[in-house]
Amino acid sequence: MININDLPGYDDAAPLLEVDNLCVTFESFEGEVAAVDGVSFTVNPGETLCIVGESGSGKSASQMAILGLLSTPPAMISGSVRFCGIELVHAPQSTLFTVRGSGVSMIFQDAITSLNPSLKVGFQIAEVFCARTGSDRANGRKYAIELMERVAIPDASHRVDDYPFQFSGGMCQRIMIAMALALNPKILIADEPTTALDVTVQRQVMELLKSLSKNADLALVLITHDLGVAAEQADKVMVMYAGRTVETGLTDAVFAKPYHPYTQALLSSMPDVTNNFNRLGIINGSPPVLTKLPEGCSFRPRCQFAAPMCRLNRPQLFVSGPSRASACLRVNDIFKKKSSNV
Amino acid sequence: MFEPLLSVKNLTKSYLIPSRGFLSKPLKLKAVDGVSFSVAAGETLGIVGESGCGKSTLAKCLARLVEPTGGQVRFKQRDFLKLGAEDLRQARRDIQFIFQDPYSSLNPHMTVAQIISETWVVFPDLLPKKAWRDRASELVQLVGLDASDLDRYPHQFSGGQRQRIGIARALASEPKLLICDEAVSALDVSVQAQVVNLFQDIQDRTGVALIFIAHDLTIVRHIANRTAVMYLGRVVEEGPSEDIFSNPEHPYSKALISAAPILDPNIRAAREIINISGELPSPLERTAGCKFLSRCWKASDICSSLEPDLERFASQRGVACHHAGIGAYRTDKKGK
Amino acid sequence: MVDLSKPLSPTDVDESRQVQLGWNDYMRAILQDYITFFALSFVLLLIVFTLGADFLAPHEPTGLNLRDRMLPPGSIGRGGDFYLLGTDELGRDLFTRLIYGARVSVSVGVLGAVLSAIVGVTAGLMAGYHGGLLEDIVMRLVDGMLSLPSLLVALFVLFILGGGFGNLVLVFLVLHWMVFARMARGLALDARNSAYVQAAVSQGCKSGRIILRHILPNVMAPILVLFTLEIAVLILSEASLSFLGFGVQPPDASWGLMISGGREHIRSAWWLVAFPGLAIFFTALSLNLLANWARAITDPVQRWRWLAKRTKFRKSK
């Protein structure tokens, strides 16, 4: 059993997760599709980062690439992902096996379908733990009960022998979280953890994640399309569109005053307490087709501020404020004008 | 006497579930347990609730896609549930349904034109055949698509566009009532906004009444004049949307509304989150008294013995709780 | 009437996202898929022979020619005739009889399958869609008839009615509609709950129209696969029945009959049994392979995978 500390490149002083220019491309009939096109971000211990985007923005693909969950023949990954200094892109399987679970863990959207319906829940929770540490079944079962209590599943000592179909959606999501925490990872990546859940259950799961994050100094990367969840849970937010990052920054700052037309349009399209019965702000046009991205800025065809320069240059993410970055070439014109009435 | 467009009284839908044991009686699952409300012409009624509250079943019962087991529905001054097969078929012109999943609600083997014209094939007296193409063209443009889309197949469209095609199809017979069952839940945020706007525009233009069923509270608040909150098959609170969302009376409504995530940090700070413990009880359990008892923090003796009815107050507000009384608007009543 | 002169929502039109694949792509893919190519070619060959037997056969299928009897394949007869696959015990050209036998087998198989499919699918769809008493009656009938030992029943019925083409098809219809009915009923049950069928109900469609216009086109794919397999099954059944003397009667040609006739000469004239046997084998094999391919091609995901492996990518500009 290799320890993470023994992996080549491990560096205590390095940031917990550092992603640098990650690109994921797929081959298709119409040519290469860049599902993720140069994404960079950093995660520090105890922090919660929310990656926000709609379908096709590349948010899920980027996280699956981090853990090496995409099969590399159809997908081509380039760039760098470093967990505590250990390079994960194109790393050997042994490195990935060691990092998964004990370094970086992931939970997926629809918990009920992510669980094996014919295995007891306790077995599934303790499975990786037993495999990695060589514990026997009895110890594993005890540990599973501990974990279930940690995620606030009532009557854990009896429910450890139940099957997934005997649990509700919210409970299954907690079981997934318990599984993900079994090896005490430092980062938990959650791919749309609450989308399939009811509002009250969503609240419970989010509170649970928040408390786990605080107690165990666990860093959270939340992928969601729900801006409300992002606003409530995340310290930092990263907005993605058509495989690229369009804006990053501290959550409250970004949502109060967005520095990218897409973020602004997204915010205005959400119903607001003050906006009843008027029309919601809409984003003209339709979601991007990744095989036919426009030249220059990919949001340009739908942007109400588009100018000729937006066609010529593909915007990079650049610093536009304290702890903020935006990929809009016209940030200063549009968002920072003193007398802006946009 | 003025009668609303749709008037529902005590609607129930029960399913018989075979129980364990060879000869034991089957259990009754009350998916919809005595729901009453009314919808006026041109009005939008929002129905919110979580999974298992019966809102989808209610929607299907209203359109008689599923036959209710009890209660009364009056639509356009006629007893809707008692209509025979042919009369029901004719009446379907005026109640149309928008489905949740845009990917399975359109027949993959029919073109958009055929999908929309289906209504006119079924009711030839609505529109003469030579006018079909033009009217279909008008309808697709009404919903924001192009006339050239008429000859395309559903798989050539995105989710939001398919949902629009579904709306165009529903409008073909010029219905008086549209039942939207989670019509925007499967769409992206920006596309949701487009479709919600579309519903509002259509309502402005055609005066159609909407029953909008959703689990997204913010959208229902935005689009609905009145809202009903459902829990385990019953309506627990009902009233003008703005009232319900700013001053919920029923404990479940309070918890539900407080659980919704809020964008604005100032508003968020002022809100009190109410966490209700436990889980949704099984709808098979036949407990006397209020169904919300197991999770309610206000529960008292009367709650376990008597199930509260939906009592109506002033300004068309209704609450089904023993603890919401005449002082429904008392200002000293706090959230907990 | 509402004023619809102006569109309501100012959204742009989305371009068709579907990649339009033309015939060329499919042809190229088939050429690269050797197995399917073989199966398709063989079946096409059979169809050609079935239709053009009179023109393509070198000799007469019936009629005695005792001078040239029992000649091995590739021999030249007394009169200078070339016998590609040899002759049988009555001097008839084996190749010719194979071609005419193909006509019989394919016709019986296809006709039997078509009739069974029509009856079975109709019964199954109606049973599945309407449910209730109709479904119970039809399904119990299906269960009951499936429990009958089909070969014995066929023999019994043919014994009474006599053999021959028409009776064979009738027997096949009666004994094979159940498979289609069972499949169609299951498919109708699924389709009944799908949103587009419910949408059709809410638009006021009558059940007949729903079954014909909405359900049937969407369940054709698995039925087509079953249909192809059933043709193979029926061809084999016909061969067996003719072998036993209850199917096609002499002097007509049928593969099963030819095997039966050549049985006693198997040591001296192996070709009398081998070639009809191979014909049956390759026919059944091709149809099974074709059914496999049909299954893949009708499922959008598998079709994509099949095409992707065999066509080159086109780079976009």
Side-chain angles (χ1 to χ4, degrees), chain B residues 224-227 238-245 314-317 329:
Chain B
N225 305 108
R226 313 184 70 245
T227 303
E238 189 205 341
S241 303
E242 205 37 56
D243 277 354
I244 299 242
F245 283 98
S315 72
Q316 313 136 6
R317 190 82 181 274
Y329 296 103

Side-chain angles (χ1 to χ4, degrees), chain B residues 220-240:
Chain B
V220 171
R221 182 181 190 164
H222 180 88
I223 195 179
N225 305 108
R226 313 184 70 245
T227 303
V229 179
M230 282 185 75
Y231 185 77
L232 273 187
R234 311 198 96 215
V235 172
V236 295
E237 189 159 4
E238 189 205 341

